[in-house]
């Protein structure tokens, strides 16, 4: 199933360099390395739009495990190549956190991969939440356009 | 988008143990670790149904990069826990290699995750193939039910 | 500087399989993968000789960071090959935890690598300890030969 | 055994950022992540002092496996923190490649870790070399002070 990107509400771009250790026998970034790139992108997004970074999860005791991950690979990144991950927050009314991503080669801004992740919220007691936790409501009030 | 599993033509099961290093701050297998589990599953599948293992790619010069990866996470595996990856070959008439996967907790055979990957064939000259390479046709003739 | 192995007080052996993802472009276990094998060995040792497993660190709030790591590589392990890590506790009177390791190829028990790690104890308040924490004294009383 | 740094003949510094995925349960760079940092340092060194990069190994068919690795950890790097690896070539008359490394926190240039690796040369036929391969002699002639 092809990924269909949605209109993002908030976006953040972060540059990184492909590590030698992330490269596979074909000398391009191993497809599994992109999971790291997306996680980094999400973390940088959370550091920029404060209130849903890992520190907030630790503080509130909530966790937000990834329940769905999809990546579509278009071109390959080489070891040492600079790339940009654009992390896009996709609004969803329910108790879900949806991000989409575009990974660009920095030199020519060609798309290397697109991706999407879905996270849910789990309370400190280990229960999956069907309504948004308070800290996430606060984050939405703070950052989302009214 | 939810993954919908298809009827597999060939399947192979491989048991593994979750490594301490594969566990995240929540003390369960990091969601990115599953990419390793799937790759291992594919490799073991190829070692069993001989003709599409990594050795065959090296011998023929073809490579089969993953162009699409999707994982749906259902429950969590703990460090040290035994798990089984069931790698399922899904027949496709074109020049594509499609696998689906079920990752089970070994103790009770509960489903931890389901996944799917799509690979294409790239020639030694670096060209994407629109017809199946010969070694893959031979593999299909050998293993697929007539 | 060559590693000189010492007489161990307690030892534990754990078998594992080299993962495809742990293999480098030379198709043998990447030298960095051994850090995982040692960590796994230590974790299995702690699960066997109970009282210094990760659960005990969480319970007491102490951590035991690795401050010194040395690995000497002798032969190479291939993808899929079975290997054994022998984790050896080396007695030291001070507030240190010293392990030595022998990594064997399971098929012929040839030595692939030998290694050593030193850990210190850091209190819940973040202070390095110059005397053994109580839980470690208890562990030594329980397991070490009188 | 403590690492004693030697006077380097050539050095190269490379800045990097600690990835979220490289951090362990203590929220600092996992001790095994440093093996990546050293490998990156070596690769960047080889890209700068041309003639012993991975491309040269591929071209000549020689490989240079790490046979000894030692890391001494002094302080911890946090996720997202900028750091610098200084890769130092240590001259040795024999058929060996010795590097030493200092990993600094970029913000205050405090030493986080020091390390050393030894590599040997293995011919395309798989034989360990007791004299320097020609491409390495050429590299030394080109770069080392007369």
């Amino acid at each position: 199933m092809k990924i269909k990107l949605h209109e993002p509400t908030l976006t953040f771009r972060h540059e990184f360099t492909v590590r030698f250790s992330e490269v596979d026998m074909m000398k391009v970034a191993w497809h599994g390395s992109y999971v790291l790139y997306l996680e980094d992108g999400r973390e940088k997004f959370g550091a920029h739009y404060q209130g849903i970074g890992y520190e907030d999860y630790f503080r509130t005791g909530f966790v937000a495990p990834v329940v769905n991950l999809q990546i579509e690979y278009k071109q390959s990144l080489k070891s040492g190549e600079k790339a940009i991950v654009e992390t896009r927050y996709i609004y969803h009314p329910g108790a879900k956190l949806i991000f989409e991503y575009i990974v660009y080669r920095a030199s020519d801004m060609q798309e290397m991969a697109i991706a999407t992740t879905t996270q849910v919220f789990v309370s400190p007691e280990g229960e999956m939440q069907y309504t948004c936790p308070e800290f996430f409501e606060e984050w939405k009030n703070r950052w989302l356009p009214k």
Side-chain angles (χ1 to χ4, degrees), chain A:
Chain A
M1 204 87 58
K2 289 270 175 186
I3 294 175
K4 219 179 121 284
L5 295 178
H6 298 81
E7 194 57 37
T9 312
L10 300 169
T11 70
F12 188 74
R13 286 185 173 191
H14 159 64
E15 191 181 276
F16 66 96
T17 305
V18 175
R19 292 242 167 93
F20 184 75
S21 53
E22 293 161 2
V23 164
D24 65 13
M25 289 193 276
M26 310 313 153
K27 300 198 254 164
V28 296
W30 178 56
H31 72 285
S33 301
Y34 287 74
V35 185
L36 309 179
Y37 306 155
L38 306 184
E39 187 169 66
D40 270 346
R42 226 152 50 223
E43 180 61 5
K44 296 290 192 259
F45 179 98
H48 184 77
Y49 298 107
Q50 298 200 336
I52 53 163
Y54 276 86
E55 292 309 319
D56 301 289
Y57 292 112
F58 283 121
R59 184 176 51 78
T60 61
F62 280 86
V63 291
V66 171
V67 294
N68 199 301
L69 161 75
Q70 187 174 4
I71 307 175
E72 216 175 292
Y73 302 90
K74 301 185 165 193
Q75 292 186 64
S76 298
L77 285 166
K78 297 201 196 79
S79 177
E81 218 162 15
K82 289 202 185 298
I84 287 164
V85 57
E86 178 178 298
T87 304
R88 304 151 63 105
Y89 170 77
I90 307 300
Y91 176 77
H92 183 283
K96 277 183 181 177
L97 194 44
I98 300 177
F99 287 106
E100 293 177 349
Y101 311 82
I102 305 177
V103 179
Y104 300 96
R105 181 165 48 210
S107 61
D108 59 3
M109 290 305 279
Q110 288 269 304
E111 291 185 10
M112 299 293 112
I114 58 176
T116 175
T117 57
T118 302
Q119 293 165 273
V120 294
F121 296 103
V122 174
S123 73
E125 295 74 34
E127 312 246 313
M128 202 178 109
Q129 303 297 292
Y130 294 97
T131 55
C132 287
E134 206 178 296
F135 81 98
F136 185 54
E137 286 295 355
E138 282 167 16
W139 181 84
K140 288 200 286 190
N141 282 333
R142 178 168 174 197
W143 291 108
L144 299 195
K146 301 294 178 317

